[in-house]
Amino acid sequence: MKVNGAGDRSARGRWARLLHARATARSAIAGTAAGIVILAASAVLASTGTADTTEEVRRVQTITQTMNKISVQINSEDAALRGYLATGGTEYRRAELVGKLGAARADLDWLQRTNAVDRAELDAIRGSYENYNRIVLDIMAHTDDGANVSGYTDLASLTFAPLRDSVLAIGDHHQQELSAYLTEVNRRADLLQVVAVATICVVLALFALCAWVLIGYQRRAERQAAQRLHEATHDSLTGLGNRAKLHHELDAAVRRGLPFSLLLIDLDRFKEVNDTLGHHAGDELLVEVAHRLGDDRRAGDVVVRLGGDEFALVLPAAPDQAQQAGHRILDALRRPISLNDLLVDIDASIGVASYPGDGHDAEQLLQHADVAMYDAKRRHGGVAAYDPALDTGDTSRLSLQSELRQGIGRGELVVYYQPKIDVASRRPCGAEALVRWQHPTRGLLGPDAFIPPAEESGLIDLVTADVLNQALAQLGRWAALGHELPVSVNIPARSLTDEAFPGVITDALARHRVPPRLLTLEITESAVVTDMERAGEVLRRLRERGVNISIDDFGTGYSSIAHLRDMPPHELKIDRSFVMKMSEDTRDETIVRAIVDLAKNLRLRVVAEGVENEDALRALGDLGCDEAQGYHISRPLPAAELTAWLDRSGMAITAG
Ligand code: C2E
Ligand code: MG
Ligand code: MG
């Protein structure tokens, strides 16, 4: 929950940051666009302003030039008049004056036509000018006859002075107008410049912001893509690569074409640890295994976790080197691992397939490594190289699991029974139900061939129910024949954490009308250690119903003796590995003796399995062992054969 909550929060945070970045990018883009529009508008304004200014300057220049021209014309007219008067009205001067008379009229007309200057001003000048010309004509009329002209000089000056001043004033006025206009133009240009500079700064800043946001966005996208790729190719628990990564590496190695080997590693006791010590311990174990595999890694090696308790290694190594590496890995994995304050031993089965000998592509190599691994598993762990002779094409676990499911449905599971005898009287005192699979094509398969995959896939519950059913039915048939023979059934660890399990047992006993005291459930010692709470509760309810509990393979698991005190079973079953060699190896005999003593002191029955010869049976009798089971007494037999055996062995079993 916590992890999910944190995940949700970080996803929400990422989402919020993304939205924020998008909003910022959008604002920045909008701002940049607005800035560009302002700049464009400023440019248009500036250029139209320049055109207007040019037009205005040209207009004022034209007026000024025209006024200057008019000024020159009236000045020269005035000068001609003065010359005429000064020479006393000579004919020559008179002609010159006549030539100059009315010279400014054309320009004044032009000014009027073009509306270049104020109408009132122009009318005033025109009036003054016509007046002046009239006076000049008057002067000439009165001086034709050589009369004295001195009186006219003042009149001419009086008329001319206001005309000249008006002409100059208009020129000045337009010059001032132009100057004011240019000042205004300059002021506007300065303002536009400020706006343009400010806009450029803002646009640059927005552009930088845009770039910053987009680069950040792109970096984040790249990071997320890299993270997604990592997640898609890596196992989140151990940090190792996953199946996709393995395929990728195998394809790459095949493309390189150099020899390499694929090692498929399957842990042998993981299921038990997971079922008994809980998922947390299971996870810890997987992480530790990943560390150990990593510790042994050399340059060029690839280690991945395929899921569950399966790992794989790709080594640039030939088959024999790969086998050596496999053994090194096994040694590393077999070092006890501390989980929940318990030292847990684990083992592994390793299958090796090498390129190019055992396959030409990733798929084939994986399949063949799986076949080899499965072969190793059948042989109780170790390292096995792919052997085409063993590959019947249907040995892959997946096909095995689906076949098993169908096989159970078709009633292909067969229960064999291996009798147990009372060591002191040597009379049959029970039998262990041991499952076999009558496979339609591969013949009779032992439990090692299908119990581990059944445990992995959960099919084991169907197996348990089927065996229990068959064993209880058989118990009833023997009872009808007069043999009251208690039967032991092997129960996987996971049943002990299933609270419905006691009910399943009670129902089965009731259905077959078998008294509970005739049923013993064999569980491995580590199964009890687990989730003590739930296992304890399940065991307590089974005991209350009168079912016997036996600790199977005692001495090989990781139980603590304290559990025997807190949750006493009815019986300890000494593991066959100690019993089989006890007559040759005194250390095994010591262990057997210790277990027998322990059982006696705790008032538990003790059974020795794996009794293969008379010496062992006799030694067990000497040690005070209660019951014995083994090939020396009988191999596991089909029910009918055991019935015959029971009929024959009404007497004590002797050597042989
Ligand atoms: P186990 O419960 O310890 O069963 C005893 C195994 O020791 C049997 O192997 C039996 O054939 C073998 N054995 C008995 N006497 C001797 C002997 O003198 N020498 C040797 N070398 N071996 C002897 P089997 O039938 O192959 O069963 C192997 C394991 O498969 C069993 O070990 C048990 O853990 C599991 N198994 C068998 N049947 C079932 C079942 O119905 N359900 C479950 N969950 N597991 C089962
Ligand atoms: Mg057993
Ligand atoms: Mg056993």
Side-chain angles (χ1 to χ4, degrees), residues 418 432 435-436 447 467 490 552-553 576 609-610 612 630-631 636:
Q418 187 174 33
E432 178 176 7
V435 71
R436 271 89 182 105
V467 172
N490 292 284
D552 201 359
D553 302 345
R576 60 182 185 269
E609 65 180 4
E612 292 193 339
Y631 292 169

Side-chain angles (χ1 to χ4, degrees), residues 243-315:
R243 191 175 284 276
K245 171 100 175 145
L246 178 68
H247 273 275
H248 175 80
E249 293 291 341
L250 286 176
D251 288 341
V254 167
R255 272 199 303 278
R256 276 195 296 276
L258 298 173
F260 67 88
S261 295
L262 166 67
L263 276 69
L264 222 55
I265 304 163
D266 190 273
L267 304 183
D268 284 349
R269 301 187 63 188
F270 177 71
K271 189 83 192 127
E272 201 174 310
V273 170
N274 222 16
D275 285 349
T276 58
L277 297 183
H279 292 294
H280 187 67
D283 285 355
E284 258 183 65
L285 186 138
L286 291 173
V287 171
E288 176 59 24
V289 166
H291 278 308
R292 291 186 184 184
L293 293 176
D295 287 348
D296 196 61
R297 184 169 12 190
R298 297 173 184 192
D301 294 0
V302 178
V303 185
V304 304
R305 179 178 168 221
L306 294 176
D309 59 349
E310 240 180 71
F311 294 82
L313 253 99
V314 183
L315 312 176

